[in-house]
Amino acid sequence: MEGLVTQIQGLSGTASDVLSLQNLLKQADDSLHAESTRLPPFLDQLDPSKHSLGYLYFLEACTAGPVTQEQASSFVLTIARFISSCVAEQIRLAPDKFISVCKRFKDQVLLLEEPLRGVAPMLTAIRKLQLSSEHLTALHPEFLLLCLLSKCYKTALSILDEDIFEVDQPRDLFLYCYYGGMISIGQKQFRKALELLHNVVTAPMSTVNAIAVEAFKKYILVSLIHHGQFPTNLPKYASSGAQRNLKTLCQPYVELASSYSNGKIADLETYVEANKDKFESDNNLGLVKQAVSSMYKRNIQRLTQTYLTLSLQDIANRVQLNSPKEAEMHVLQMIKDGEIYATINQKDGMVRFLEDPEQYKTCEMIERIGSSIQRLMTVSKKLNVMDELMSCDPLYLAKAGRERQRFDFDDFDNVPPRYNI
Amino acid sequence: MDGEDISNPLMEEMCANGIAAVDDAPSSSTSTTELKSRPIISGEQLDIEAYAGLYSGRTKIRRLIFIADHCDNTAMQLEGLRMAYDELKKGENTQLFREVVQKIDDRLGLNYSMDAAWCAMVDRKADQRKDKLESELNAYRTNLIKESIRMGYNDFGDFYYAHGALGDAFKSYVRTRDYCTTSKHIIQMCLSAILVSIEMGQFTHVTSYVSKAEQTPEALDPITSAKLRCAAGLAHLESKKYKLAARKFLEVGPELGNSYSEVIAPQDVATYGVLCALASFDRTELKNKVIDNINFRNFLELVPEVRELINDFYSSHYASCLEYLGNLKSNLMLDIHIHDHVETLYDQIRSKALIQYTHPFVSVDMRMMADAFKTSVAGLEKELESLITDNQIQARIDSHNKILYARHADQRNATFQRVLQTGNEFDWDVRTMLLRANLLKHEYNLRASRKI
């Protein structure tokens, strides 16, 4: 053991040394695991900021076995300190170990029932493990889970705002998008939630998994809240398994959506009452109630298209509210949220609907359009790069060469038949 | 028929509209009082004898039966059935005869009860004739004389038609096709097929045979082309293609006269044409094809109320126009071809009137508009709301002051909004697509590595 420690201390200097150290550590891994109980004191001899790789191996071996409550709190401290001070390049040499350490960290934090303690370290861990901000690691969903459990949604949003283009494991993506969707719903950012849930539901999957089913239920509800409608068919690029099976698995929600599209609030409410248990068991009752109240909003918005002024009594009648007072409250809330532009004249009990005051003439608008253009150009460039990479990919060329007969002659002129690598 | 009843309400409408159309009022009223010639399709109760006089053959009987089935007035019912009975006695259709007798139900006395002897005699004669025709046809077929075979099948077709076996009649007529040598034969076959198809109610055949007839290399004489256009118009009407139906009816030449009385009367051509045109044409087309159409004027003379109707619509006297429509409705419901479509056409005409009324104005006082259309303000508000939601009127309602304000979409703002939205959608689509591509690549690599 001591020999190993000195080697770690010695070989943690340059990159080539670190590589040879890694080989040594790999060989010694089993012996480390065998002696896991004896390891903690050795950890103190190693400095996490200089000897990250070695420290990682030791730490991983220490935490491998079952952990008691007292040990948990001390381990949590050690791991947190390690994460904050370790060197990113060294730990990237052994990503699996790092991931398993962090996962155990999460388990222990949950064991102690203090998810808040894990949020910041996990965030640092992600940043250190990620190869780029577009890369999804296995730690992302863990991080989001901790944020959800500790209810600190704002920290999560900083991670969610980054676009993901590279994924290690599809399962990570599903969990990430599902949790991300839930966090966005909590922050009332329904557009982002819709995007994330859409990714889960339309991701390529050979068989439908439980995450997709739960995500689909929430997807229907968020779609109703944000757009006021739910497209009955998934887009064509969704996997065939999803297209066939998701709707049958989420039957009560699909019926809720069709009842919503009929536009009658009374029917919708009776339906919700009737199926309350199902919604509650899925923990979706709150979302369902939001969907129902969004229906009033849709109806009022529709009125702004046809009327310039309307009495509160008329609004209450048309939107099927109980009294003009309720109508006034709804309209007031919508004006505050910026969903409609109107003024309420309390003396006459009239609401006057105004046009969107945006004139698209300000500097901010020009900046906004300019930045939009830039963003789109970056995305387009990315798409082109990916296309070029793909067309040079040997696997793709092999398959295209084999299936040449199926496609149009012109498309594959340059590929020789029976292309063999 | 009197025209005096019509002129009084017309005067009232002029004043109610508040439009000092003094020039129009006297001229239209004098023209209506002058006319005496056959205003049969009018607001007055239908004169069955005159109506039936317009038609001949099977359609006359069918129309009479239809009227008897659908009108509430028992006197008219019995009159219709009586005339149907008389007409049937002149023909050879025992099945229809039995039907009519059942409907009469001994209400018209002994002269109009079941005449079993006559039925038996007609049936016997029919069998004999059928055998004769068959033997003749066989003879012709063995001799292989094309013309005779054709005439043989034709006679068969006529025979079946007279006896009400429409399906067999159609088949026989169609069989003559192989033996037609000149265009005239083809046209004759097409016309017969069309007639039977209309009676059967199979209007898809009508359209195909009309186009077949129109494709003959020889020029058609005007009467035939008029007949074909009527048939085509009826087919379009049945399939609810009102614009095409209107065009066809408006193209019918005045040479038609009474020559197509087995199918349609010139009054019908006018009525159907005007109603479909009102429901589906825009203003320019209405002016060019209907009002300025010299040929069609002959037809319009036959139905003065319809002519008034369309002139009122064009000159924006909506209340009187809608009143004419209301008066005509009860009689139109008794017509076999148009009764299904009356409601739809009326709704469309009314919407068009509303849209046309609001079109030239920036703001409209809804109370005046309600007076012009003879409805209440609340009802008008509902109608306008549905038209606005359907995007047929670009306007907004000020419910407090009851004013309708025209609202022209701001193109510039709308364009900016659309641009930003399209940008966002593109961005989203591409990002999700790249993500999915990455997932697929991952999966493919996984599978490939497993294979290796």
Side-chain angles (χ1 to χ4, degrees), chain A residues 71 74 171 203 205 211 242 281 305 310 324 386 405 419 421:
Chain A
Q71 280 181 314
S74 69
R171 189 164 165 277
M205 47 180 139
I211 307 174
S281 61
Q305 293 302 312
L310 201 55
M386 192 174 202
Q405 296 83 11
Y419 183 89
I421 314 162

Side-chain angles (χ1 to χ4, degrees), chain A residues 163-170 173 191 195 198-199 202-204 237 304-310 314 318 348 350 352-353 355-356 358-361 365 368-369 372 375-376 379-380 382-383 386 395 399, chain B residues 381-382 384-385 388-389 395-402 405 407 410 412-414 416-417 419-420 422-445 448:
Chain A
D163 298 327
I164 299 289
F165 290 118
E166 270 193 59
V167 176
D168 284 334
Q169 272 284 351
L173 179 72
R191 200 170 152 274
E195 221 180 280
H198 184 87
N199 280 340
T202 56
Y237 46 76
T304 61
Q305 293 302 312
T306 34
Y307 285 93
L308 258 184
T309 64
L310 201 55
D314 271 330
R318 282 171 208 278
D348 296 331
M350 279 279 159
R352 189 179 186 80
F353 297 118
E355 293 279 348
D356 181 356
E358 178 63 64
Q359 282 295 315
Y360 298 98
K361 285 183 188 156
M365 185 48 75
R368 194 170 145 202
I369 295 181
S372 257
R375 196 180 66 226
L376 288 175
V379 167
S380 284
K382 212 183 202 50
L383 189 60
M386 192 174 202
L395 286 171
K399 186 156 183 155
Chain B
E381 198 173 317
K382 275 212 167 36
L384 286 174
E385 187 185 332
I388 294 174
T389 332
R396 300 231 290 206
I397 303 176
D398 181 344
S399 181
H400 186 45
N401 302 323
K402 301 291 175 205
Y405 286 101
R407 172 219 210 183
D410 188 341
R412 186 174 170 280
N413 283 357
F416 270 105
Q417 252 178 338
V419 160
L420 284 171
T422 317
N424 286 339
E425 280 173 24
F426 177 77
D427 184 40
W428 186 35
D429 278 338
V430 172
R431 274 189 291 124
T432 48
M433 189 167 66
L434 286 172
L435 184 62
R436 274 198 305 277
N438 189 281
L439 282 173
L440 280 172
K441 187 166 86 162
H442 176 85
E443 206 179 294
Y444 192 75
N445 286 341

Side-chain angles (χ1 to χ4, degrees), chain B residues 173-186:
Chain B
Y173 284 129
V174 170
R175 280 220 188 94
T176 66
R177 184 160 112 214
D178 301 326
Y179 307 99
C180 289
T181 42
T182 67
S183 317
K184 224 161 136 257
H185 295 162
I186 297 180

Side-chain angles (χ1 to χ4, degrees), chain A residues 117-354:
Chain A
R117 283 173 75 179
V119 170
M122 197 60 95
L123 184 56
T124 342
I126 290 179
R127 292 269 175 254
K128 294 207 175 156
L129 187 58
Q130 262 186 334
L131 295 167
S132 73
S133 71
E134 296 168 0
H135 183 216
L136 185 81
T137 62
L139 296 178
H140 278 82
E142 311 292 339
F143 170 67
L144 287 183
L145 181 62
L146 285 176
C147 287
L148 262 179
L149 290 172
S150 60
K151 298 208 199 315
C152 54
Y153 299 136
K154 292 236 169 65
T155 353
L157 285 179
S158 61
I159 284 276
L160 283 175
D161 274 336
E162 294 167 0
D163 298 327
I164 299 289
F165 290 118
E166 270 193 59
V167 176
D168 284 334
Q169 272 284 351
R171 189 164 165 277
D172 294 334
L173 179 72
F174 294 151
L175 275 177
Y176 171 78
C177 287
Y178 180 62
Y179 292 142
M182 284 169 72
I183 291 178
S184 306
I185 293 173
Q187 290 291 99
K188 302 250 190 271
Q189 290 194 1
F190 291 114
R191 200 170 152 274
K192 187 124 191 96
L194 205 60
E195 221 180 280
L196 288 163
L197 292 170
H198 184 87
N199 280 340
V200 185
V201 167
T202 56
M205 47 180 139
S206 43
T207 52
V208 176
N209 55 44
I211 307 174
V213 173
E214 292 303 312
F216 190 64
K217 293 178 185 166
K218 292 201 163 51
Y219 178 69
I220 296 179
L221 292 171
V222 174
S223 174
L224 286 178
I225 295 176
H226 188 68
H227 285 304
Q229 58 179 356
F230 172 66
T232 35
N233 287 322
L234 286 173
K236 278 199 280 198
Y237 46 76
S239 70
S240 52
Q243 279 178 3
R244 277 198 304 264
N245 299 324
L246 275 179
K247 276 200 277 194
T248 41
L249 290 168
C250 306
Q251 196 52 27
Y253 294 84
V254 177
E255 281 174 23
L256 182 74
S258 48
S259 154
Y260 187 101
S261 59
N262 284 336
K264 298 215 179 15
I265 297 198
D267 293 344
L268 191 64
E269 283 183 348
T270 36
Y271 183 79
V272 169
E273 269 308 306
N275 291 317
K276 213 158 86 148
D277 308 321
K278 277 186 237 165
F279 294 141
E280 225 165 326
S281 61
D282 289 330
N283 288 329
N284 282 333
L285 191 60
L287 211 52
V288 170
K289 291 211 169 117
Q290 283 191 38
V292 173
S293 67
S294 78
M295 192 154 175
Y296 291 112
K297 288 194 200 151
R298 294 266 156 256
N299 289 344
I300 295 181
Q301 269 175 339
R302 216 173 296 149
L303 286 175
T304 61
Q305 293 302 312
T306 34
Y307 285 93
L308 258 184
T309 64
L310 201 55
S311 69
L312 286 168
Q313 180 64 45
D314 271 330
I315 295 182
N317 290 342
R318 282 171 208 278
V319 181
Q320 291 148 36
L321 286 168
N322 290 330
S323 72
K325 263 268 161 264
E326 269 192 46
E328 189 178 336
M329 271 174 26
H330 268 99
V331 172
L332 197 59
Q333 187 62 38
M334 285 175 78
I335 297 176
K336 265 199 279 177
D337 289 336
E339 287 164 3
I340 58 172
Y341 304 98
T343 52
I344 304 180
N345 183 337
Q346 282 194 328
K347 185 164 70 91
D348 296 331
M350 279 279 159
V351 178
R352 189 179 186 80
F353 297 118
L354 306 164

